[in-house]
Amino acid sequence: MSTRFWHPVADMHAVARSGELWLDRGERAHVWDTDGRRYIDATAGLWYANVGYGRDEIVDAAAAQMRRLHAYSHYGDVSTEATSRLAERVAALSPIEDGVVFFASGGGESVETAVKMARRYWSLIGEPERTVIVTRERCYHGLAGYGTSIVGSDVFRAGVGPLVGDTIRVPWESAEALADAIDEIGAERVAAFFCEPIIGAGGVLLPPEGYLQAVQRVCRERGVLFVVDEVICGFGRVGDWFASSRFGLEPDAITFAKGITSGYVPLGGVIAGPRLRDAFWGEGSGVWRHGYTYSGHATAAAAAHPNLDILEREGLLGRALELEHELADALGPLVEHQLVSEVRAGLGAVAAVQVDESALADDPGLTDRVTLVARDHGVLTRTLVGGGLQVSPPLVIDRSGVDEIASGLRAALDDVARQG
Ligand SMILES: Cc1ncc(COP(=O)(O)O)c(C=O)c1O
């Protein structure tokens, strides 16, 4: 046994046998392992390191907050300046008019919060039978209890027994299918539709033209809450503060995490619009007994401010728009490779190189081998559900870094193809 660290989302038999990759340090879009080998980070950690590695001003702000008051529970009426100012700032950046912000420690807790918020909303306004949560096939909303219940791929539910009830999934690309599903159940039973603007971990599936506006319309017409999960897209990744801003959406709530601190400290949350706020904040609504020890953690909030400053000052939203083209341009030619069936790119700094599905049917471990061999060529990537290779680099990557990703992936695909 080479480790006692039980890794998340891992085949621990393989990890214990082959050992771990120990990463040691990072700078902008590169990281180094403990043997001094350099890698280009094709995934921004796990879609979060938007401002890249080694940003001293975030470290300094976090350290200053820790020295002053590292944290204090925010239950009830207690707050810290960094946290209340961050709620103000996030609400101002968001496309939701007059929103309020509930903080959590990451994406999963944000989704738990939003599902409970949606269901309780209906209970508060006297329609408690509206409990059904609708999501999309292939979607991913984290792996906590509600997240595991609403996830779009059964692999995440295997073997854990009964989960939260009253959840259904609809085809990922069809607003009509959503309308039909709601009408079939009866809108008077449906609490909310949760939607990733880009399905991320489920394979990097870009929304069909007009899809996001159409599902918002479907929800509005039926009174169903429209919740946009921006855990990946929020804070710059798609060339705007939120995908909802870019697509002109006005959701009832937005979940966020990752890019708000670029992962320097874990932080997530829910931006809730007036519809939800009025129900929960109205006179007589009482205490909502929901929250986390670290909701609004002062050090996480203190780290978020300079992170947002960097996104603004360095024009990284604009850089994501450039990357939209650069990634498509650099990765596009890989579609000619015998092991590749499709390259999905063209919306922000998010892309996937799809390993050929028929080759995967014969050899399900194919993408994992490409991912592993890519390390030998200096690229850290990740296998997505469905067998794609994830490409979502830090927004500070330059064109030569993008080319480094493309050439490293090509070399890995060549090696694996040669091995047969
Ligand atoms: C869209 C989306 N929602 C929720 C989550 C869960 O976030 P976390 O892993 O921080 O719990 C993720 C994680 O990747 C995500 O991509």
Side-chain angles (χ1 to χ4, degrees):
M1 187 168 65
S2 61
T3 183
R4 292 197 178 277
F5 172 26
W6 191 335
H7 291 238
V9 190
D11 172 350
M12 283 312 299
H13 178 75
V15 175
R17 193 189 52 217
S18 312
E20 299 161 312
L21 170 67
W22 281 11
L23 296 178
D24 180 46
R25 69 187 179 91
E27 199 182 310
R28 297 191 72 79
H30 286 93
V31 292
W32 283 259
D33 67 19
T34 42
D35 294 327
R37 288 161 53 91
R38 188 178 90 139
Y39 305 90
I40 185 82
D41 175 18
T43 60
L46 206 48
W47 327 83
Y48 55 71
N50 290 3
V51 303
Y53 300 92
R55 306 305 301 245
D56 286 340
E57 71 186 274
I58 301 179
V59 179
D60 293 344
Q65 181 67 48
M66 281 187 187
R67 284 198 188 91
R68 216 178 159 77
L69 179 72
H70 74 279
Y72 202 90
S73 159
H74 289 125
Y75 279 30
D77 65 348
V78 179
S79 189
T80 36
E81 191 202 340
T83 304
S84 284
R85 272 203 306 114
L86 186 63
E88 199 71 51
R89 193 166 177 184
V90 168
L93 292 175
S94 121
I96 295 179
E97 224 17 71
D98 212 12
V100 290
V101 183
F102 192 107
F103 286 114
S105 304
E109 282 187 359
S110 306
V111 168
E112 301 296 292
T113 300
V115 175
K116 288 171 72 178
M117 194 183 275
R119 285 184 167 179
R120 186 173 162 87
Y121 163 78
W122 290 109
S123 174
L124 283 171
I125 68 159
E127 297 187 47
E129 60 289 348
R130 282 214 193 227
T131 52
V132 175
I133 305 294
V134 185
T135 55
R136 300 156 77 193
E137 288 164 6
R138 304 283 299 264
C139 73
Y140 184 84
H141 299 286
L143 298 177
Y146 284 102
T148 306
S149 305
I150 64 176
V151 69
S153 308
D154 286 336
V155 287
F156 295 105
R157 272 189 287 274
V160 296
L163 285 156
V164 176
D166 280 0
T167 66
I168 62 160
R169 275 147 295 282
V170 294
W172 71 269
E173 73 288 20
S174 164
E176 210 171 41
L178 172 66
D180 290 346
I182 296 174
D183 293 343
E184 195 176 310
I185 306 163
E188 69 286 352
R189 289 213 46 232
V190 180
F193 172 56
F194 276 61
C195 180
E196 283 171 280
I198 296 173
I199 289 181
V204 179
L205 307 178
L206 308 181
E209 181 81 34
Y211 172 83
L212 295 169
Q213 293 85 352
V215 289
Q216 173 170 278
R217 217 166 29 246
V218 166
C219 291
R220 287 277 174 280
E221 286 165 4
R222 290 157 179 80
V224 168
L225 290 166
F226 179 46
V227 182
V228 178
D229 186 344
E230 300 242 18
V231 164
I232 287 175
C233 293
F235 301 101
R237 182 141 303 272
V238 293
D240 209 326
W241 285 107
F242 296 91
S244 297
S245 334
R246 176 153 180 188
F247 288 99
L249 306 175
E250 287 173 54
D252 295 297
I254 288 175
T255 51
F256 64 89
K258 301 189 189 273
I260 186 164
T261 55
S262 289
Y264 277 78
V265 189
L267 180 65
V270 181
I271 310 166
R275 191 173 165 193
L276 290 160
R277 184 204 59 207
D278 291 351
F280 282 79
W281 291 32
E283 199 179 345
S285 301
V287 176
W288 184 28
R289 297 197 182 280
H290 173 78
Y292 304 101
T293 296
Y294 300 126
S295 282
H297 193 281
T299 299
H305 286 287
N307 176 65
L308 298 179
D309 294 343
I310 293 171
L311 286 168
E312 277 168 6
R313 194 178 63 233
E314 297 185 2
L316 294 180
L317 276 52
R319 179 66 192 131
L321 290 177
E322 291 170 2
L323 284 166
E324 186 165 303
H325 300 291
E326 288 181 19
L327 290 175
D329 185 45
L331 299 172
L334 290 176
V335 79
E336 309 296 337
H337 197 280
Q338 66 184 98
L339 289 184
V340 175
S341 59
E342 188 184 24
V343 172
R344 293 185 287 276
L347 179 52
V350 186
V353 176
Q354 180 62 50
V355 171
D356 185 66
E357 287 89 345
S358 54
L360 274 173
D362 293 340
D363 181 357
L366 199 49
T367 313
D368 285 337
R369 290 210 302 287
V370 177
T371 295
L372 213 55
V373 172
R375 288 182 186 173
D376 298 336
H377 297 284
V379 178
L380 288 186
T381 180
R382 193 171 80 96
T383 304
L384 295 162
V385 175
L389 295 158
Q390 179 180 335
V391 181
S392 57
L395 305 180
V396 292
I397 196 170
D398 57 18
R399 176 62 205 231
S400 70
V402 171
D403 292 337
E404 228 176 298
I405 293 173
S407 60
L409 292 183
R410 179 179 290 283
L413 287 159
D414 285 345
D415 284 357
V416 171
R418 251 195 314 273
Q419 288 157 9

